[in-house]
Amino acid sequence: MRRYLVAGNWKLNLGPAAGANLAAALQARLAGRALKGDVLVCPPYVTIPAVAAFAQGAPLLVGAQDCSDQDQGAYTGQVSAAMLKEAGCTHVIVAHSERRQYQRETDALFVAKIDRVHAAGLTAIFCYGELLAERRAGRAEDVVEAQLRGVLPRLAHADRGNLVLAYEPVWAIGTGETATPEIAQQMHRTSRAIVADLLGAETARQLRILYGGSCKAANAAELFALPDVDGGLIGGASLKVDDFAGIIDAAERVK
Ligand code: PGA
């Protein structure tokens, strides 16, 4: 019922030349295949145009890792959602844990950014997830609930077509440690119940919830086979064509 989404978050890796190489290799792997789901890569801003040349609609899409909460004006260093759309993007990641941590971004800013993403006609991928200390203290579900309640009800234009969630336990990001299938399914099921409460049962049923955190070809199939996991947000393993293609193949097998 829900198409899977396998999304690569390149983070601060791959300039225009290297990004174009990876996009071309991916496109060659995917060309002519009728995939059951969607494949997205999110390069650094300056790499987006080079990647967009290879990612024009299915099967490969291009997105951004962040955007401004403003449309235009005197905001040095910022890039608007409308500009990203013009550059070929279909999706924008918002609220990644690295931005929560290093840029100290807050719920109010996430709401403003997602509203700009939606106003530009793009899909937002909203990231959330607990820290290791919060999980150890038995507070993982409370933290996730607060993160979802702090943003979703305040969005002006959210619907099941323009929003994707990405549950990313912070202790699993870039650590090589992956959530067990039990933890992933429990957190995704809890997330979907919270979405049902906030945005309605039908939206919750159709909304895609991705798993992120050391997802790789070797563990993707068991994660994607879980009933409430609709794909993945992939960091490290999205930077090499064999690794990323292996994750897409896993989704094709189990979804
Ligand atoms: P990782 O990153 O796959 O390298 O753990 C995931 C993410 O931060 O989106």
Side-chain angles (χ1 to χ4, degrees), residues 98-229:
E98 287 149 18
R99 297 204 64 87
R100 292 177 187 263
Q101 184 183 351
Y102 304 135
Q103 270 73 36
R104 307 212 170 281
E105 294 192 357
T106 60
D107 287 353
L109 187 61
F110 302 148
V111 170
K113 287 185 176 189
I114 295 172
D115 280 350
R116 298 331 306 147
V117 169
H118 288 162
L122 303 178
T123 296
I125 301 178
F126 174 62
C127 304
Y128 62 100
E130 80 283 0
L131 304 169
L132 182 58
E134 293 165 339
R135 171 155 291 277
R136 286 197 171 140
R139 294 179 44 229
E141 291 190 62
D142 291 347
V143 168
V144 156
E145 175 151 16
Q147 289 172 327
L148 294 174
R149 286 192 186 278
V151 172
L152 299 190
R154 297 158 66 189
L155 298 174
H157 322 283
D159 62 44
R160 52 187 168 268
N162 66 14
L163 187 66
V164 173
L165 300 186
Y167 168 63
E168 300 207 300
V170 178
W171 46 271
I173 295 178
T175 59
E177 191 160 334
T178 315
T180 62
E182 292 71 26
I183 290 177
Q185 172 54 24
Q186 184 195 345
M187 297 305 287
H188 280 237
R189 190 178 49 225
T190 298
S191 301
R192 203 175 295 284
I194 296 165
V195 172
D197 188 35
L198 298 175
L199 302 179
E202 190 52 29
T203 296
R205 207 171 61 80
Q206 296 194 28
L207 194 82
R208 294 189 282 190
I209 307 180
L210 312 183
Y211 168 81
S214 298
C215 184
K216 42 190 183 279
N219 60 24
E222 69 173 353
L223 289 162
F224 296 169
L226 299 167
D228 283 299
V229 175

Side-chain angles (χ1 to χ4, degrees), residues 45-113:
Y45 288 137
V46 295
T47 304
I48 288 170
V51 169
F54 297 95
Q56 293 178 348
L60 188 60
L61 304 167
V62 64
Q65 300 170 20
D66 185 40
C67 72
S68 179
D69 62 325
Q70 304 291 330
D71 284 332
Q72 59 175 22
Y75 300 101
T76 301
Q78 301 212 33
V79 174
S80 75
M83 291 173 183
L84 294 170
K85 181 174 190 183
E86 187 180 341
C89 290
T90 53
H91 293 67
V92 181
I93 298 170
V94 175
H96 190 279
S97 67
E98 287 149 18
R99 297 204 64 87
R100 292 177 187 263
Q101 184 183 351
Y102 304 135
Q103 270 73 36
R104 307 212 170 281
E105 294 192 357
T106 60
D107 287 353
L109 187 61
F110 302 148
V111 170
K113 287 185 176 189

Side-chain angles (χ1 to χ4, degrees), residues 1-8 30 33-40 59 208-211 215-226 229-234 242-255:
M1 167 194 60
R2 297 182 293 266
R3 282 173 70 81
Y4 75 74
L5 173 62
V6 171
L30 300 178
R33 285 171 69 182
L35 297 182
K36 294 182 218 161
D38 302 311
V39 178
L40 172 75
R208 294 189 282 190
I209 307 180
L210 312 183
Y211 168 81
C215 184
K216 42 190 183 279
N219 60 24
E222 69 173 353
L223 289 162
F224 296 169
L226 299 167
V229 175
D230 305 311
L233 183 54
I234 320 295
D242 288 338
D243 296 347
F244 197 54
I247 293 171
I248 297 163
D249 290 342
E252 285 291 308
R253 278 200 307 279
V254 300
K255 282 300 183 197

